[in-house]
C-alpha cells in the first residue's frame, strides 16, 4: 500500500470515527466502502478492518460516556449477552455463505426504520421522574437511568421498557455485525430509542459502550482466518481512534432531536451501500 493510500485511510478513519462515536455506530460505515470501493481491498479484509475500527471507536468514546453517566452500563451489559452470541455466529458463518439477500432485506428495513427515527418526538428536557421515584421492583427497573444533558442544561431520567424485545433485536444486531462489519449500533440505537423509550443520547452512548465487545467476538474469528491486514488495520484504527475522541466531545453539545435526524440520514446512506453491495455494484 502506497503512502498516499495510507494517508487516505488515516483521514477516512478520522471521519468514520467522528460519525461513529456521535451516533453510536462504530467506524465501519465509511471504512468498508473506502476499502472495498476506493482501495479495492478484498471484502473479507475490509470487514475485518471495520471490526477493528469499531473496537477503536468504542475504546475512545466509551470511557468518556461512562464517566459522564450517559452510557447505561447495566443495560449495555445485559443486552451484550445476546449480542455477542449473535456476533460469534455471524463471524463464523460469514466465510461460508452468500449474504446478498440478507443485505437487501437489511438495507430495505433500515430505510423503513429511518422514517420514525426522523419523525420521532424530541426528548423532553424536563425530568419525567426523580431518581428516588425509580423504585427497583423488577430486574428491568434496575436498568432505568438518568444523565445530565449539556445541550439542554437539564437532567433526563428515563425508564427502560420492552427488555425481552430488546434482547432479541440485540442478537440480530450481533449477527449482522459479524456478517457485514457495519457495527451492531445501526440496529441497537433505533431499537433502544423507538422500542425501549431510551433517549437518543443515552442510546448512542450505550451502543458505543457495547459495540467494542461485539466486534471483538467477530474480529477474533476473522483474525484466525487470516483476514486481518496489519498495515491497513493500523492506519485505519489510528484515524478512527482520533475521530472517535473528537466525536465523543461533540456529541454532548448536540441537541437530541438533531442527533436523531442525523442518525436517520446515516441509516439511509448505509442502507444504500448495502443494497448496492448486494447487487454487485461497486463491491467486487
Amino acid at each position: 500500500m502506497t503512502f498516499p493510500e495510507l494517508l487516505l485511510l488515516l483521514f477516512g478513519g478520522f471521519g468514520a470515527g467522528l460519525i461513529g462515536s456521535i451516533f453510536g455506530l462504530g467506524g465501519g460505515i465509511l471504512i468498508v466502502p473506502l476499502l472495498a470501493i476506493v482501495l479495492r481491498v478484498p471484502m473479507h479484509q475490509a470487514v475485518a478492518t471495520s471490526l477493528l475500527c469499531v473496537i477503536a471507536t468504542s475504546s475512545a468514546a466509551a470511557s468518556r460516556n461512562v464517566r459522564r453517566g450517559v452510557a447505561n452500563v447495566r443495560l449495555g451489559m445485559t443486552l451484550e449477552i445476546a449480542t455477542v452470541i449473535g456476533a460469534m455466529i455471524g463471524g463464523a458463518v460469514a466465510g461460508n455463505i452468500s449474504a446478498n439477500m440478507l443485505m437487501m432485506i437489511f438495507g430495505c428495513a433500515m430505510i423503513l426504520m429511518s422514517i420514525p427515527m426522523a419523525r420521532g418526538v424530541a426528548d423532553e428536557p424536563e425530568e419525567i421522574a426523580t431518581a428516588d421515584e425509580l423504585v427497583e421492583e423488577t430486574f428491568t427497573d434496575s436498568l432505568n437511568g438518568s444523565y445530565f444533558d449539556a445541550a439542554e442544561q437539564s437532567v433526563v431520567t428515563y425508564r427502560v421498557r420492552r427488555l425481552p424485545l430488546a434482547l432479541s433485536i440485540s442478537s440480530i444486531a450481533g449477527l449482522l455485525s459479524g456478517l457485514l462489519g457495519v457495527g451492531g449500533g445501526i440496529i441497537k440505537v433505533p431499537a433502544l430509542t423507538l422500542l425501549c423509550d431510551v433517549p437518543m443520547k443515552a442510546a448512542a452512548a450505550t451502543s458505543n459502550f457495547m459495540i467494542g465487545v461485539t466486534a471483538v467476538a467477530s474480529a477474533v474469528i476473522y483474525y484466525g482466518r487470516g483476514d486481518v491486514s496489519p498495515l491497513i488495520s493500523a492506519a485505519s484504527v489510528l484515524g478512527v481512534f482520533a475521530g472517535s475522541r473528537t466525536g465523543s466531545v461533540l456529541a454532548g453539545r448536540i441537541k437530541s432531536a438533531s442527533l436523531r435526524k442525523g442518525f436517520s440520514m446515516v441509516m439511509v446512506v448505509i442502507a444504500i451501500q448495502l443494497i448496492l453491495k448486494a447487487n454487485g455494484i461497486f463491491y467486487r
Side-chain angles (χ1 to χ4, degrees), residues 12-63:
F14 181 88
L18 182 71
I19 295 174
S21 63
I22 289 176
F23 296 116
L25 303 177
I29 57 173
L30 293 179
I31 290 297
V32 171
L34 176 63
L35 290 172
I37 298 175
V38 180
L39 301 178
R40 298 294 179 180
V41 173
M43 193 61 198
H44 282 95
Q45 279 192 17
V47 171
T49 303
S50 171
L51 290 170
L52 295 178
C53 290
V54 171
I55 298 171
T57 301
S58 180
S59 300
S63 60

Side-chain angles (χ1 to χ4, degrees), residues 40 43 72 78 83 89 120 139 149 168 177 179 184 214 216 225 237-238 261 269 282:
R40 298 294 179 180
M43 193 61 198
N72 190 326
T78 300
T83 308
I89 295 173
F139 177 75
D149 191 329
S168 300
S177 176
L179 281 173
T214 305
V216 167
R225 285 203 301 259
V237 167
L238 284 175
K261 291 177 181 178
V269 171
F282 298 132

Side-chain angles (χ1 to χ4, degrees), residues 98-155:
S98 173
N100 287 351
M101 183 57 66
L102 175 63
M103 286 185 289
M104 281 290 295
I105 296 173
F106 184 36
C108 293
M110 285 172 58
I111 292 177
L112 293 176
M113 286 190 297
S114 69
I115 298 174
M117 282 294 292
R119 298 177 59 187
V121 179
D123 298 321
E124 292 293 334
E126 297 81 17
E127 295 182 4
I128 60 171
T130 65
D132 292 336
E133 291 174 335
L134 294 179
V135 180
E136 296 184 8
E137 297 179 349
T138 65
F139 177 75
T140 303
D141 291 333
S142 70
L143 305 179
N144 299 331
S146 64
Y147 64 94
F148 178 75
D149 191 329
E152 302 288 352
Q153 288 296 302
S154 63
V155 174

Side-chain angles (χ1 to χ4, degrees), residues 17 51 62 81 97 109 111 113 117 122 140 164 175 191 198-199 209 284:
L51 290 170
I81 297 172
I97 65 172
I111 292 177
M113 286 190 297
M117 282 294 292
T140 303
L175 178 67
V198 176
F209 172 74
R284 298 295 181 184

